[in-house]
Amino acid sequence: MNIAYVNGKYFPIEDAKVSIRDRGLMFADGVYEVAAIINGKLIDNFEHLKRLQRSLNEIKLSSPVPISEIPIIEKELLAKNKINEGTLYLHITRGESDREFSFPDIVKPSLVMFVQSKNLIHLEPDDLGAIVITVPDVRWKRRDIKSIALIAQVMAKQVAKEEGADEVWMVEDGCITEGGSSNAFIIKDDKLITRNSDNMILSGITRKAIMTLADDTGMLIEERSFTIDEAYNATEAFFTSASAFIMPVVSIDGKIISGGKPGPISLKLRELYINFAIETAV
Ligand code: PDD
């Protein structure tokens, strides 16, 4: 059975409900996190909760429970669902109110959580190697906030699906910002290149871990914008997220990357990340 958490209580997912006046529903007035689950434990959860606190601060919202108590709820949810591998989703919205854009006088934030099973480590060979297409990045300018307002990504990822692609890379001023729900990396001349993290991308937790692991191997890392042409001509490319770990890219807009197969450096970093995830999961 799939059990969800809604404001202090656990429900079968089909009975887990919030009000139609929830500001998350009316205004996407809320923020979220997705953490990976391996062996029934969470990966890099401290970093996810730190980013959650930051997103909350940026939208001037307080968590309904102290952030330090969220892991207790998460543990209970994992235990109730007996889940081994997958993702834990949570969001906090500004709760229920009349439909007034400005904040209500009395705010009762709403916290919901649920889990989804997904193979993260044990992928079929066909699932390791993603087709990417590029789309214009039409999002707002505070992409550092993990906002639940995801319609731009929903539209973009639907285009990818219709075109038989697995992920979109979003383009602004001729450069790749990030993936629809991931951070974008290319490798050229043995250097790892990924866009610098500011308000124009989400500072990915997986991105950060990969950069540390790559740095430990002595690899050179350049944090800077890179163009679509650089991506087309990369030796290897991959994207990172809590739900994909490191996913090697085999083509971008039909241009073959790394001979159409996952590249050796991407696979090595994926292996290092999986080991890190298993060793540090809590
Ligand atoms: N998305 N950039 C965007 C726009 C994202 O939505 C995500 C993650 C990332 C990667 O961040 P992290 O490594 O912390 O997962 C980058 C999650 C997985 C999602 O929306 O499902």
Side-chain angles (χ1 to χ4, degrees):
M1 194 171 17
N2 192 341
I3 305 290
Y5 170 92
V6 184
N7 294 320
K9 297 201 183 95
Y10 297 87
F11 302 90
I13 192 99
E14 57 276 13
D15 300 328
K17 305 246 161 76
V18 295
S19 162
I20 61 164
R21 299 197 320 143
D22 189 278
R23 295 177 62 90
L25 205 50
M26 293 190 288
F27 300 117
D29 186 356
V31 294
Y32 78 108
E33 277 299 327
V34 176
I37 304 161
I38 292 185
N39 299 330
K41 296 178 190 170
L42 295 167
I43 313 306
D44 244 344
N45 198 37
F46 180 75
E47 290 290 328
H48 283 284
L49 294 179
K50 211 163 87 183
R51 186 173 64 188
L52 176 66
Q53 182 63 71
R54 180 182 184 280
S55 294
L56 286 167
N57 292 346
E58 294 301 310
I59 68 160
K60 300 185 166 61
L61 183 61
S62 300
S63 174
V65 297
I67 296 286
S68 58
E69 285 175 22
I70 289 184
I72 301 167
I73 304 168
E74 290 175 323
K75 282 280 138 207
E76 190 156 351
L77 189 68
L78 294 180
K80 283 186 191 299
N81 283 287
K82 299 188 180 65
I83 183 168
N84 189 50
E85 199 165 313
T87 53
L88 185 150
Y89 170 89
L90 69 83
H91 75 210
I92 298 177
T93 70
R94 211 176 307 274
E96 210 183 323
S97 75
D98 285 342
R99 192 173 180 281
E100 288 290 341
F101 283 76
S102 54
F103 304 166
D105 292 338
I106 299 167
V107 178
K108 259 189 82 187
S110 170
L111 167 62
V112 310
M113 272 186 217
F114 56 82
V115 296
Q116 282 180 198
S117 288
K118 183 175 193 255
N119 285 344
L120 299 174
I121 300 180
H122 309 101
L123 301 185
E124 299 295 326
D126 277 1
D127 292 334
L128 196 64
I131 296 170
V132 164
I133 57 167
T134 60
V135 295
D137 196 336
V138 298
R139 297 174 300 161
W140 72 331
K141 296 197 172 69
R142 288 306 309 277
R143 303 160 190 168
D144 54 314
I145 300 172
K146 203 160 169 59
S147 156
I148 59 171
L150 292 171
I151 192 64
Q153 286 103 308
V154 167
M155 299 304 290
K157 284 168 89 87
Q158 177 61 22
V159 171
K161 186 175 168 189
E162 286 166 10
E163 295 193 8
D166 304 298
E167 176 61 308
V168 291
W169 278 12
M170 295 181 283
V171 177
E172 196 165 55
D173 302 329
C175 290
I176 309 288
T177 50
E178 61 184 327
S181 57
S182 59
N183 289 115
F185 288 75
I186 57 170
I187 298 170
K188 187 76 184 173
D189 300 329
D190 292 330
K191 270 188 293 210
L192 190 58
I193 305 167
T194 191
R195 197 194 181 287
N196 50 306
S197 140
D198 55 18
N199 60 312
M200 301 310 266
I201 66 165
L202 182 77
S203 187
I205 306 302
T206 324
R207 172 186 179 278
K208 188 174 164 190
I210 296 303
M211 287 168 67
T212 305
L213 292 168
D215 188 48
D216 289 348
T217 69
M219 210 174 166
L220 290 177
I221 302 171
E222 279 183 16
E223 268 191 275
R224 61 164 175 87
S225 290
F226 59 91
T227 64
I228 307 187
D229 270 341
E230 281 185 280
Y232 291 163
N233 292 305
T235 321
E236 293 185 32
F238 62 84
F239 55 83
T240 61
S241 74
S243 54
F245 286 0
I246 297 184
M247 180 54 69
V249 171
V250 295
S251 77
I252 305 173
D253 291 339
K255 315 269 188 306
I256 301 295
I257 306 292
S258 171
K261 294 195 303 280
I265 300 174
S266 310
L267 288 177
K268 181 73 203 162
L269 289 173
R270 182 175 165 85
E271 185 190 319
L272 289 173
Y273 183 77
I274 289 173
N275 290 342
F276 156 82
I278 292 171
E279 280 164 21
T280 60
V282 285

